[in-house]
Amino acid sequence: MSDHLTLDQLGEQSFAIRHIGPDEAQVATMLRAVGHDSLDALMAAAVPAGIRQELPLDLGAARTEAEVAAELAALAARNRPLEPMIGLGYHGTLTPPVIRRNVLEDPSWYTAYTPYQPEISQGRLEALLNFQTMVADLTGLPTANASLLDEGTAAAEAMTLVRRARPKAAGPFVVDADALPQTIEVVRTRAAAMGIEVVVADLAEGLPDGEVCGALLQYPGASGRILDPRGLAEDVADRGGLLVVAADLLALTLLESPGELGADVVVGSTQRFGVPLFYGGPHAAFMAVAQGLERHLPGRLVGVSVDNAGHQAYRLALQTREQHIRRDRATSNICTAQVLLAVTAAMYAVYHGPEGLKAIAQRTHRCAAVLAAALQESDVEVVHGAFFDTVLARVPGRAEAVVAAAREAGAHLRLVDADHVGVSCSERTDLDVVASVLGAFGVSAAELPEIDGRTPDALPTELLRRTAYLDHPVFNTHRSETAMLRYLRRLSARDYALDRGMIPLGSCTMKLNATTEMEPISLPGFADLHPFAPAEDAAGYRELVTQLEGWLATVTGYDQVSIQPNAGSQGELAGLMAIRGYHRARGEGARTVCLIPSSAHGTNAASAVMAGMRVVVVKATDEGAVDLDDLRAQCETHRDDLAAIMVTYPSTHGVYEDGITELCRIVHEAGGQVYVDGANLNALLGYAKPGEFGGDVSHLNLHKTFCIPHGGGGPGVGPVAVREHLAAYLPSHPVHPDADRREGIGPISAAPYGSAGILPISWAYLRLMGGAGLTRATAVAVLAANYVAVRLREAFPVLYTGHNGLVAHECILDLRGLTKATGVSVDDVAKRLIDYGFHAPTMSFPVAGTLMVEPTESEDLAELDRFCDAMVAIRAEIDRVAAGEWTPEESPLRGAPHTAEAALSGTLGYDAMLAAFPAGADPDKYWPPVGRIDQAYGDRNLFCACPPVEEFAAG
Ligand SMILES: *Cc1c(COP(=O)(O)O)cnc(C)c1O
């Protein structure tokens, strides 16, 4: 008899019990409530037998948090981030530690959701307004969005904006031959799908003859050359087109703004404003437009409005969720953007201010000027006389040797061709770096300080900046770290994120973003690598990506995965492009019809249009399922031109539809491909694989199912997974580290691995959970949704259920009856939830007048009950309206959310305690910083930059 347990018997701490909220006892309680004996029994009852996978997930055993941290550190150590001087839109930068730790690494920023509930998102909305103001000022155009996915896709969006805004302009879209090479390729991929003609030309020679719908100029160019945009702007305008300028924001602190010089649209990346290189992303791109074009802007636009007390308040303007409303007429398919990175870049400008940014730009330029002068003094030819940060050196026949020597000396340079080397300086460059680069050219660096003293600037004098920028107080106040820390804290304290409580957003899967998953992204091996560094210096990333793509293929049942798309919307486009490529290769290019059920996510229709397809809507039955009779009829009508169907599974109604296998059969028989939108994979992992039950292609959302945080509206990763016959049509990239992936349909993102820097998060999640942990997570997610449905069905009818009366991982609460009877709307319920300390569920998607609740596996029973209790209490409040005790207008439901000021005002027609503490006094109460915001006011009075300070004082 032993008096102790052995190490083996003690076992190891499993991560799954940290990730999954409810413990065994809580799971048992919840199972009793939903009437099933075990998780197995629940899942057997919920998931249609026809789609169940037979074998457990084969991912190997789960690892501990300590093991995964060590594995990722080892992978990071196999990357060699040298001094990043390749340029091409990616530059060395120094993330101020106060911003790194208190934004990028702070859950109050990174676990927030997209600010659709503006009253509880004022902090990030202010940060994004700072971003828009910064971009508008520097580009010299009045309206900027916040944000786009990367510079390449921003340029492609600009091209489609030109087509929308100038429908009558004929002729090609002309792209500068000195544009970033990856931008040219992303634009080509998009243009091919939409049938837009693209011509690449040296714009130093002027526009090609004939009609032109628009042109894109890189300012400064990839080679470092700086063309004056003025003549081009006039020429494009004369031909009825629009000029797009892709600009470098840091350069714009010294060079005149493109807006001032005639540009209609300016795009670019804000990476070098303090955002780590991350081997290509995530980074926030931007777009700014001239007056008159704002209603064509893709992506999100933050605007200023007022709340119910007349105080100024921020919210998303104009095209809020516009894909959901405009669908195939949307301006673009962008949904998830790059909010966390936009906040980081904006804060970099807030911290440095206009003088600080200018000094950084001047130092960067000095290094380049000294480098160029030293090369020339040693008879190395420098191609351009004027430049900002990039020196193009001509070294006939020696370029490869110079780049190799620089690599030995610790710097990555750009190998342009056999005779040319590009060297881009950055905030990180100093004279020591310049000296080692000179060494690689075989040039002595003995007298650099003297050269610095006698070498004039090499900026083009006719383009020196004369217009002011960033004069708003926000960019001129927070200079000390103390001030900055408090500003960051003040903003994040205004917001409700997962660090405060549950965010039960249907379709968005707001689950735990574990610290062990997050920490590795800051390791220098992952954070500081340039995306075009030689493959040998990125061995850790390659292994991580290969494994992650392999695991994602395993869990989805597909044959090949590409992690290149940097949001779900981009995964959709990539998947549809694969279908397009497949049909065309078989001589069936006429297949261009894309069937989409009426309940689909809005991005689906928008992506189909971007892939050059025509959207045809398939009806739903009264039970919310795809109407198979209508589907058969549509397939018959489109027998010759059917390209695909896009279905979400489980459906956006939160139900496992039985008809899915039959649906796949019908579409395949008609010659179409089946696209399964995999955003709802959290209900499938371990139980069913789309690649096995009939899908040909899916995208996944790593920022939903696989734990990448939403970051307040991005970053995301939207891998595309395909069966073998579509594998040849996955995204390629001209400088892909894997030589087999260089040729193909072209890139969907600017970098070969898209948002590579956040892939360690999902890698860690899969490794920490193992197959059994993932499977249990799915079952608990389904259990939690059913538990909420059961607890709330008396108060609010559950709109759709499937098998045995069960829902999948989310449920839709139908408020339409109550609204009709009492005048209390979904908005009122959503805002009242704030008073109870919750973020609202998804509102009015996919059905208007409803709330869609997705609790996820990460919320424990206490939090689930707190939410259900709040909803039941709100129902009781609605009943008081129904009973005539309050009119809807004068009820606490319409008055919600209540600020402290409102509660203390003495003007409420009901008890102040009921207003502010409806669930009882609470020392940890979250107080919304503003009251109910007037959406219409903000759209009528569109204002999208930082408001003058006096307006706040007056408010
Ligand atoms: C979230 C979501 C998308 C879009 O993903 P983004 O990353 O936001 O572009 C597409 N389809 C469904 C069903 C989704 O829930």
Side-chain angles (χ1 to χ4, degrees):
M1 287 284 276
S2 164
D3 62 350
H4 68 276
L5 298 174
T6 64
L7 282 173
D8 193 44
Q9 287 161 333
L10 282 165
E12 267 164 352
Q13 181 70 63
S14 130
F15 171 75
I17 67 166
R18 304 294 189 196
H19 176 83
I20 297 174
D23 62 15
E24 287 288 352
Q26 294 177 354
V27 165
T29 305
M30 291 157 69
L31 280 167
R32 266 195 304 282
V34 303
H36 286 275
D37 292 337
S38 64
L39 287 173
D40 283 348
L42 170 72
M43 294 305 281
V47 183
I51 66 163
R52 281 288 295 259
Q53 71 190 56
E54 281 161 20
L55 299 174
L57 285 183
D58 181 15
L59 286 176
R63 306 297 156 109
T64 67
E65 292 181 68
E67 284 167 347
V68 166
E71 287 181 333
L72 282 169
L75 282 173
R78 291 179 52 205
N79 296 324
R80 285 185 66 214
L82 307 181
E83 200 54 45
M85 307 185 82
I86 297 171
L88 298 181
Y90 303 95
H91 301 275
T93 184
L94 299 168
T95 312
V98 64
I99 297 175
R100 177 170 43 73
R101 172 157 293 203
N102 299 291
V103 176
L104 274 178
E105 299 176 350
D106 186 330
S108 66
W109 287 100
Y110 69 68
T111 69
Y113 183 66
T114 309
Y116 293 137
Q117 296 290 335
E119 293 86 356
I120 57 177
S121 312
Q122 291 295 301
R124 55 195 185 274
L125 285 165
E126 176 163 327
L128 292 175
L129 203 64
N130 293 347
F131 179 88
Q132 291 177 181
T133 305
M134 165 186 94
V135 171
D137 275 14
L138 288 170
T139 59
L141 290 175
T143 310
N145 70 3
S147 54
L148 293 175
L149 293 164
D150 58 36
E151 182 164 342
T153 55
E157 295 284 350
M159 169 183 71
T160 54
L161 180 150
V162 167
R163 295 302 304 226
R164 275 195 309 282
R166 290 288 179 273
K168 295 208 191 83
F173 185 74
V174 181
V175 180
D176 184 5
D178 201 20
L180 304 177
Q182 71 274 19
T183 294
I184 297 177
E185 294 310 314
V186 172
V187 166
R188 278 195 167 127
T189 309
R190 288 278 185 96
M194 299 187 74
I196 299 172
E197 189 193 348
V198 168
V199 169
V200 177
D202 181 359
L203 294 181
E205 317 272 304
L207 283 178
D209 292 339
E211 295 181 301
V212 161
C213 70
L216 180 142
L217 170 71
Q218 191 89 38
Y219 176 77
S223 72
R225 181 180 74 182
I226 306 175
L227 279 188
D228 188 335
R230 278 171 285 206
L232 194 62
E234 269 173 40
D235 199 359
V236 174
D238 285 347
R239 301 196 209 181
L242 295 173
L243 177 64
V244 180
V245 171
D248 177 335
L249 281 192
L250 190 63
L252 297 188
T253 63
L254 302 178
L255 299 178
E256 191 49 86
S257 71
E260 192 69 19
L261 303 174
D264 301 291
V265 182
V266 181
V267 295
S269 165
T270 60
Q271 178 269 320
R272 73 189 310 175
F273 276 27
V275 182
L277 285 163
F278 284 139
Y279 198 40
H283 307 137
F286 63 83
M287 182 186 288
V289 294
Q291 198 171 4
L293 294 174
E294 46 286 271
R295 276 157 216 269
H296 295 285
L297 255 187
R300 315 226 195 261
L301 184 62
V302 177
V304 182
S305 187
V306 292
D307 76 357
N308 57 1
H311 295 312
Q312 206 153 54
Y314 312 118
R315 89 297 175 242
L316 294 176
L318 296 183
Q319 69 279 68
T320 306
R321 308 213 93 177
E322 68 120 32
Q323 313 90 7
H324 284 311
I325 297 153
R326 296 168 53 90
R327 306 182 76 83
D328 50 332
R329 289 175 301 111
T331 50
S332 102
N333 67 344
I334 298 275
C335 180
T336 290
Q338 300 281 22
V339 168
L340 187 67
L341 304 313
V343 170
T344 303
M347 290 304 174
Y348 178 92
V350 165
Y351 197 36
H352 287 300
E355 289 86 20
L357 292 178
K358 187 169 177 188
I360 290 168
Q362 282 168 327
R363 274 200 302 275
T364 300
H365 175 68
R366 279 314 305 158
C367 288
V370 171
L371 174 71
L375 288 171
Q376 280 168 318
E377 287 186 15
S378 293
D379 294 326
V380 176
E381 186 187 337
V382 169
V383 178
H384 303 306
F387 48 82
F388 166 57
D389 65 351
T390 297
V391 177
L392 183 66
R394 207 173 107 76
V395 280
R398 289 206 299 133
E400 236 170 282
V402 169
V403 170
R407 182 166 169 254
E408 282 301 307
H412 283 135
L413 308 186
R414 176 181 178 210
L415 178 66
V416 180
D417 57 34
D419 305 328
H420 295 88
V421 175
V423 187
S424 290
C425 298
S426 73
E427 182 184 9
R428 294 170 44 116
T429 313
D430 57 21
L431 287 187
D432 289 342
V433 171
V434 172
S436 60
V437 170
L438 287 170
F441 281 92
V443 167
S444 151
E447 291 175 36
L448 288 185
E450 291 74 13
I451 295 179
D452 186 12
R454 66 177 177 254
T455 303
D457 277 350
L459 294 164
T461 40
E462 71 287 2
L463 290 172
L464 288 181
R465 180 129 191 169
R466 292 193 172 77
T467 51
Y469 49 87
L470 305 186
D471 50 10
H472 190 276
V474 77
F475 299 107
N476 294 282
T477 309
H478 310 291
R479 282 299 163 273
S480 73
E481 183 167 327
T482 300
M484 190 66 197
L485 177 69
R486 289 179 188 158
Y487 182 57
L488 293 172
R489 169 63 201 248
R490 194 159 82 235
L491 292 195
S492 68
R494 290 181 193 165
D495 287 12
Y496 185 103
L498 276 178
D499 62 333
R500 290 189 190 271
M502 173 179 187
I503 304 185
L505 280 164
S507 210
C508 301
T509 315
M510 299 294 290
K511 56 164 70 172
L512 170 74
N513 316 116
T515 309
T516 297
E517 294 154 6
M518 291 300 297
E519 278 184 333
I521 70 166
S522 297
L523 292 171
F526 289 134
D528 296 340
L529 193 63
H530 191 287
F532 306 147
E536 312 83 85
D537 292 334
Y541 260 122
R542 281 190 74 187
E543 179 163 343
L544 179 130
V545 168
T546 306
Q547 289 178 340
L548 180 59
E549 289 181 343
W551 296 338
L552 294 175
T554 301
V555 302
T556 54
Y558 285 104
D559 298 307
Q560 282 245 22
V561 172
S562 164
I563 50 75
Q564 191 186 99
N566 45 18
S569 59
Q570 308 303 295
E572 290 176 17
L573 177 60
L576 292 168
M577 294 287 286
I579 290 173
R580 176 178 181 270
Y582 171 78
H583 286 314
R584 288 163 67 96
R586 289 159 44 99
E588 304 207 337
R591 292 191 171 274
T592 55
V593 166
C594 187
L595 300 177
I596 299 188
S598 48
S599 65
H601 195 269
T603 52
N604 288 183
S607 298
V609 170
M610 287 170 61
M613 295 184 181
R614 192 154 61 82
V615 174
V616 173
V617 174
V618 187
K619 287 195 199 125
T621 63
D622 291 344
E623 291 77 45
V626 173
D627 184 336
L628 293 184
D629 290 333
D630 189 48
L631 177 68
R632 278 191 203 92
Q634 299 283 10
C635 284
E636 194 46 49
T637 312
H638 296 290
R639 193 150 273 284
D640 299 324
D641 58 6
L642 179 64
I645 187 168
M646 284 185 99
V647 281
T648 304
Y649 200 82
S651 72
T652 49
H653 293 148
V655 174
Y656 296 105
E657 289 183 19
D658 268 326
I660 184 73
T661 19
E662 176 67 3
L663 176 150
C664 295
R665 205 185 50 73
I666 296 169
V667 171
H668 282 145
E669 232 164 53
Q673 295 280 294
V674 176
Y675 187 112
V676 179
D677 180 327
N680 288 350
L681 208 66
N682 215 41
L684 293 181
L685 278 184
Y687 288 91
K689 301 183 176 185
E692 286 178 358
F693 66 66
D696 298 293
V697 45
S698 288
H699 79 272
L700 321 177
N701 275 358
L702 298 192
H703 47 302
K704 294 179 180 170
T705 317
F706 297 93
C707 298
I708 290 176
H710 281 245
V717 177
V720 55
V722 295
R723 293 194 30 222
E724 198 57 54
H725 64 282
L726 297 179
Y729 312 103
L730 284 174
S732 53
H733 195 287
V735 294
H736 203 290
D738 184 346
D740 294 344
R741 296 202 186 182
R742 286 186 195 148
E743 304 275 323
I745 65 153
I748 284 288
S749 304
Y753 289 142
S755 289
I758 49 177
L759 297 176
I761 301 168
S762 298
W763 189 98
Y765 177 59
L766 285 156
R767 197 83 171 146
L768 289 163
M769 294 293 275
L774 291 176
T775 307
R776 185 175 173 87
T778 304
V780 175
V782 171
L783 174 62
N786 280 285
Y787 177 77
V788 169
V790 165
R791 274 216 54 197
L792 294 183
R793 69 184 167 202
E794 296 280 301
F796 303 98
V798 173
L799 184 56
Y800 298 117
T801 53
H803 264 269
N804 301 306
L806 293 168
V807 297
H809 63 309
E810 59 194 8
C811 61
I812 298 180
L813 305 176
D814 191 355
L815 274 76
R816 291 172 297 184
L818 282 169
T819 301
K820 209 163 160 219
T822 65
V824 175
S825 68
V826 268
D827 260 74
D828 296 333
V829 174
K831 304 305 176 193
R832 186 62 173 148
L833 272 169
I834 298 170
D835 290 335
Y836 283 84
F838 284 99
H839 190 294
T842 299
M843 265 169 49
S844 291
F845 170 78
V847 182
T850 67
L851 291 173
M852 181 156 64
V853 182
E854 179 179 2
T856 84
E857 70 277 12
S858 294
E859 299 299 340
D860 64 21
L861 183 56
E863 185 70 353
L864 294 174
D865 278 337
R866 193 172 72 90
F867 174 72
C868 293
D869 292 345
M871 289 296 287
V872 169
I874 289 174
R875 171 59 208 257
E877 292 176 355
I878 299 174
D879 289 343
R880 289 168 74 174
V881 174
E885 196 177 323
W886 294 315
T887 65
E889 295 75 24
E890 308 216 307
S891 71
L893 291 146
R894 188 64 49 83
H898 296 90
T899 60
E901 185 188 333
L904 290 170
S905 66
T907 59
L908 298 174
Y910 39 84
D911 180 40
M913 283 300 282
L914 173 73
F917 293 109
D922 175 6
D924 301 316
K925 178 179 169 61
Y926 166 74
W927 288 99
V930 296
R932 185 86 64 103
I933 294 174
D934 186 338
Q935 296 281 358
Y937 176 92
D939 278 351
R940 279 195 311 274
N941 305 280
L942 191 62
F943 191 84
C944 302
C946 296
V949 184
E950 311 80 68
E951 287 189 25
F952 276 101

